[in-house]
Amino acid sequence: MSTFNDLGLNEDLLHAITDLGFEKPSEVQEKAIPLLLNSEDDLVALAQTGTGKTAAFGFPMLQKIDIDSRTTQGLILSPTRELCLQITNELKLYGKYCKGLNVVAIYGGASITDQARDVKRGAQIIVATPGRMKDMISRRMVDISKIEYAVLDEADEMLNMGFKEDITAILSHTPDDKNTWLFSATMPKEVAAIAKNFMHAPQEITVGHKNEGSKNVTHEYYLVNSRDRYQALKRLADANPDIFSVVFCRTKRDTQKVAEKLIEDGYSAGALHGDLSQNQRDLVMKSFRNNQIQMLVATDVAARGIDVDDITHVINYQLPDEIETYTHRSGRTGRAGKTGVSMVIVSKSEVRKIKSIERIIKKEFQKKDIPDGMQICEVQLMSLAKKVHHTEVNDDIETYLGDINTLFEDTTKDELIKKFFSVEFSRFYNYYQKSADLNVSASFDDSRSSSGNSTRYFINVGKKDGYDWMSLKDFLKEILELGRDDVFKVEVKDSFSFFNTENNLKEKVLAFFTDFKHDGRFVNVEVSENRGRSGGGRRDRNRGGSKRRDDRKNSSSRRSDSKSKPRRSNSGEFANSRPRRSRR
Ligand code: ADP
Ligand code: MG
């Protein structure tokens, strides 16, 4: 293993590295820096987030450019404003002893004329988001015709975000004989295409496997009913008192909703999504960086810029639509040599996605149980005890010690401890005392038919109408506007069929089909008596009678109640918000 001194970097840079406290180069730095310093080759480097890619291209670029010249020689494209600013700051730190160095950040949402003026002053390096860069080129505010080094940072993210055309346009304004260095965490075919079309025989560096997740991250999943997602999230937070996390949701709306609920429930949380103004987003990020927010609830797009090093947990409140996105989410933790945990709260209809993700990240998930109330109380109590133990004593209390001592004259030490801890702890205890078990049985295929969480329906279309199970499933998903795995166990007979959904969709499904015509005939859907696939799902002979349907509903809900531990209505867990607690 080499040191920074072995890589061929000059004194000014090594001096800065010492100041930064970097002891040894990371793997991508060790491989990329000598290569970039000693050759004029293009480079494709694949490495996870948090592996030190900025320095891997930053140091060679700083060493290779001519600082005495005012010409723009280096261009770094990066997907977001956040990253753009981060890279700029890092480069300034790396180049703090390079006299005359001028690095300028160019990004949307700030004054374009100010940025143009900064560039005009003689920026040797420009760090830019593609959108703003293209704007400035078309307004002739920048000249990148003499670029010698172009970096595409987080190339996969830039393409994901739809910057392909912008990047192409920008590169067309740069000289053909420049060097292009492409950095990416993953190598989808779009990135490969960029490498092929815009680079000349690039060298390739891979740190870890392609598309592989960070080594420092462990992956866990928790199987719950969809409706218990939020409760599960709270428990995971409560079971980890020092959590510092990003919670990923699929939509802006869910992001906002979950954050609001968390705040209402006494957590230090914040929302980050595209419907917020730049100002609001900056504020949230600032609080997060300062550790004032413990749970940052974010959409994938909004979280792209987050490079905070000490995130302990990534929580997938919902899995992403594209499972590849999971790599990016989990890469937010386990950065800069620290360990991290990526947790997935998953419902039965999505649990098979876990297997697909395992194949992509080449790591296994641990299936874990949502901690029960008493486990959480124990964790909270011990955490409190440790906090008290480490608390620095405020000497001004000395004045009151006499009076307090008189008050506790007859109290033993044990009793005193119990009393003190009860002040903080009882609220947790009362809250969780009667809490339900949120875990759902693991074998999802069986559980779908046996645990009473799904509903089986009869529908009066079948093979005669041209359906097979796949086309019927697609048809149902489309007209009901359901997700990929929401309709399952589709079984098509000659003139009728069966299918299942989770119970929580039952009302929606039945309401939709009360008066639904397709190809000129009424399509009738009813709850089938037989819930599972076995036995073919006998059609309910008593269908139609509303009274009977009600009876059936009651009996089935009773059935599931007797099987499971007390649920929300019994426990009161959902009626009250969790106890407020003081944080940091
Ligand atoms: P990436 O671009 O791969 O996601 P960054 O370049 O943002 O990663 O680096 C992640 C963090 O690690 C930054 O805070 C950076 O200062 C730090 N870092 C980079 N190289 C080293 C090193 N050799 N030793 C210690 N810390 C480093
Ligand atoms: Mg980076």
Side-chain angles (χ1 to χ4, degrees):
M1 177 137 321
S2 52
T3 65
F4 277 109
N5 288 319
D6 306 327
L7 302 183
L9 293 169
N10 67 32
E11 282 306 314
D12 287 344
L13 297 176
L14 289 173
H15 193 175
I17 288 171
T18 310
D19 287 359
L20 282 161
F22 291 2
E23 281 167 10
K24 55 179 200 312
S26 69
E27 194 179 338
V28 68
Q29 292 163 2
E30 193 178 0
K31 287 179 173 167
I33 293 174
L35 194 155
L36 295 177
L37 286 178
N38 299 320
S39 79
E40 293 296 313
D41 287 336
D42 285 353
L43 172 72
V44 171
L46 298 179
Q48 275 309 302
T49 43
T51 51
K53 292 193 286 294
T54 316
F57 62 75
F59 284 122
M61 185 180 278
L62 289 169
Q63 182 148 327
K64 288 185 121 176
I65 56 167
D66 177 6
I67 297 191
D68 298 329
S69 155
R70 308 259 98 189
T71 310
T72 303
Q73 303 153 60
L75 170 67
I76 298 160
L77 292 179
S78 116
T80 64
R81 165 197 148 106
E82 268 275 320
L83 282 174
C84 196
L85 285 167
Q86 254 169 39
I87 295 168
T88 308
N89 288 337
E90 289 264 313
L91 290 185
K92 284 180 179 164
L93 287 175
Y94 301 164
K96 67 196 263 202
Y97 298 110
C98 305
K99 227 166 166 275
L101 174 68
N102 192 9
V103 186
V104 172
I106 282 181
Y107 50 85
S111 157
I112 196 166
T113 44
D114 287 359
Q115 290 173 357
R117 195 193 52 224
D118 290 346
V119 170
K120 284 259 150 57
R121 283 205 195 119
Q124 296 98 347
I125 298 176
I126 291 177
V127 189
T129 54
R132 176 54 66 97
M133 188 66 202
K134 204 181 136 211
D135 248 21
M136 292 187 73
I137 293 173
S138 61
R139 294 165 72 165
R140 298 183 186 284
M141 288 169 147
V142 286
D143 174 12
I144 51 168
S145 64
K146 305 211 170 54
I147 292 289
E148 288 173 53
Y149 308 100
V151 173
L152 304 176
D153 190 30
E154 308 252 2
D156 50 354
E157 291 284 16
M158 286 200 286
L159 296 173
N160 267 341
M161 291 173 76
F163 284 135
K164 182 164 173 235
E165 258 118 64
D166 288 353
I167 294 172
T168 311
I170 293 165
L171 291 180
S172 74
H173 291 271
T174 61
D176 274 343
D177 61 356
K178 69 182 177 304
N179 290 146
T180 306
W181 306 338
L182 182 151
F183 286 77
S184 189
T186 58
M187 187 71 172
K189 52 182 181 309
E190 294 81 4
V191 175
I194 290 267
K196 187 161 172 278
N197 298 338
F198 294 96
M199 300 170 74
H200 307 289
Q203 303 252 15
E204 193 172 316
I205 293 175
T206 305
V207 173
H209 293 289
K210 283 182 191 178
N211 297 339
E212 184 197 47
S214 157
K215 283 193 190 65
N216 299 334
V217 180
T218 49
H219 304 263
E220 302 174 349
Y221 77 93
Y222 296 82
L223 192 58
V224 301
N225 284 316
S226 281
R227 61 165 183 272
D228 290 334
R229 245 178 237 281
Y230 178 69
Q231 295 306 319
L233 173 65
K234 288 204 322 182
R235 290 212 195 161
L236 292 175
D238 288 343
N240 295 282
D242 295 321
I243 196 167
F244 181 53
S245 62
V246 184
V247 178
F248 283 98
C249 294
R250 217 162 9 206
T251 64
K252 294 178 204 168
R253 208 167 135 252
D254 286 346
T255 303
Q256 184 65 30
K257 237 171 44 190
V258 169
E260 277 173 13
K261 270 166 122 180
L262 285 172
I263 293 166
E264 226 170 77
D265 287 349
Y267 295 83
S268 55
L272 189 71
H273 56 73
D275 282 352
L276 302 173
S277 70
Q278 188 63 55
N279 231 346
Q280 288 170 308
R281 272 185 282 169
D282 287 349
L283 272 176
V284 171
M285 275 315 293
K286 193 167 160 223
S287 313
F288 188 57
R289 278 184 206 292
N290 295 338
N291 281 213
Q292 285 156 337
I293 284 179
Q294 278 189 293
M295 303 177 80
L296 180 70
V297 190
T299 57
D300 288 298
V301 175
R304 285 213 166 109
I306 301 177
D307 272 23
V308 177
D309 283 343
D310 38 5
I311 292 169
T312 59
H313 294 76
V314 163
I315 302 182
N316 293 262
Y317 185 76
Q318 294 146 334
L319 276 174
D321 286 327
E322 301 281 328
I323 47 179
E324 286 76 12
T325 306
Y326 180 84
T327 313
H328 294 295
R329 288 184 174 187
S330 57
R332 299 294 154 214
T333 183
R335 296 171 60 80
K338 300 201 176 90
T339 56
V341 183
S342 174
M343 299 172 153
V344 181
I345 303 175
V346 74
S347 72
K348 280 180 298 168
S349 62
E350 311 168 304
V351 74
R352 60 190 79 221
K353 280 191 185 170
I354 296 286
K355 281 269 165 290
S356 320
I357 295 174
E358 284 179 336
R359 275 194 294 276
I360 288 185
I361 61 173
K362 299 196 174 63
K363 271 190 151 187
E364 270 185 34
F365 273 80
Q366 284 176 291
K367 181 184 181 304
K368 290 205 141 183
D369 283 340
I370 297 284
D372 65 33
M374 285 307 110
Q375 287 168 330
I376 288 172
C377 287
E378 192 182 320
V379 169
Q380 288 287 342
L381 185 61
M382 288 321 290
S383 155
L384 183 60
K386 278 188 200 131
K387 223 180 266 171
V388 171
H389 189 68
H390 289 132
T391 295
E392 242 175 77
V393 170
N394 180 338
D395 287 326
D396 287 346
I397 289 178
E398 198 85 34
T399 329
Y400 310 98
L401 211 54
D403 288 348
I404 296 175
N405 254 325
T406 317
L407 196 62
F408 288 108
E409 217 163 32
D410 299 327
T411 317
T412 66
K413 181 179 167 190
D414 273 0
E415 257 178 288
L416 188 63
I417 290 176
K418 280 191 217 163
K419 273 180 193 282
F420 262 95
F421 279 85
S422 297
V423 173
E424 176 77 20
F425 181 63
S426 290
R427 282 175 299 171
F428 257 102
Y429 183 79
N430 293 339
Y431 177 72
Y432 272 122
Q433 204 182 11
K434 291 196 208 111
S435 58
D437 179 3
L438 301 182
N439 296 296
V440 170
S441 132
S443 52
F444 54 91
D445 253 340
D446 298 343
S447 63
R448 274 191 165 166
S449 55
S450 63
S451 73
N453 290 312
S454 75
T455 301
R456 188 142 179 89
Y457 308 84
F458 161 89
I459 181 167
N460 65 341
V461 297
K463 284 186 194 145
K464 276 186 185 157
D465 307 288
Y467 290 103
D468 60 16
W469 70 269
M470 222 182 319
S471 57
L472 182 60
K473 183 172 171 161
D474 287 344
F475 170 71
L476 289 167
K477 276 183 333 199
E478 194 185 317
I479 55 170
L480 290 162
E481 294 179 347
L482 294 177
R484 212 182 300 175
D485 298 322
D486 286 340
V487 176
F488 48 94
K489 294 210 162 152
V490 180
E491 201 177 344
V492 179
K493 305 282 182 194
D494 267 354
S495 56
F496 57 90
S497 309
F498 298 97
F499 65 94
N500 281 34
T501 73
E502 297 279 320
N503 283 346
N504 57 3
L505 294 171
K506 183 159 133 189
E507 256 174 64
K508 176 175 177 177
V509 172
L510 293 178
F512 183 87
F513 282 106
T514 43
D515 193 19
F516 178 73
K517 250 184 173 172
H518 185 66
D519 286 344
R521 71 177 250 227
F522 279 103
V523 176
N524 182 23
V525 167
E526 295 170 18
V527 174
S528 162
E529 206 171 48
N530 190 318
R531 314 184 116 249
R533 198 208 294 267
S534 53
R538 193 163 29 90
R539 183 176 173 181
D540 173 19
R541 256 175 281 134
N542 296 321
R543 72 201 163 91
S546 62
K547 179 174 176 297
R548 285 181 189 274
R549 184 173 280 169
D550 287 350
D551 287 351
R552 208 155 50 235
K553 241 190 234 161
N554 290 339
S555 69
S556 79
S557 70
R558 224 177 293 131
R559 195 162 53 229
S560 66
D561 270 355
S562 63
K563 259 191 181 170
S564 53
K565 298 219 172 111
R567 289 201 179 274
R568 57 176 102 184
S569 51
N570 308 346
S571 66
E573 179 172 350
F574 296 73
N576 306 310
S577 65
R578 64 188 287 288
R580 307 257 160 190
R581 63 174 140 164
S582 48
R583 295 195 171 261
R584 302 184 187 214

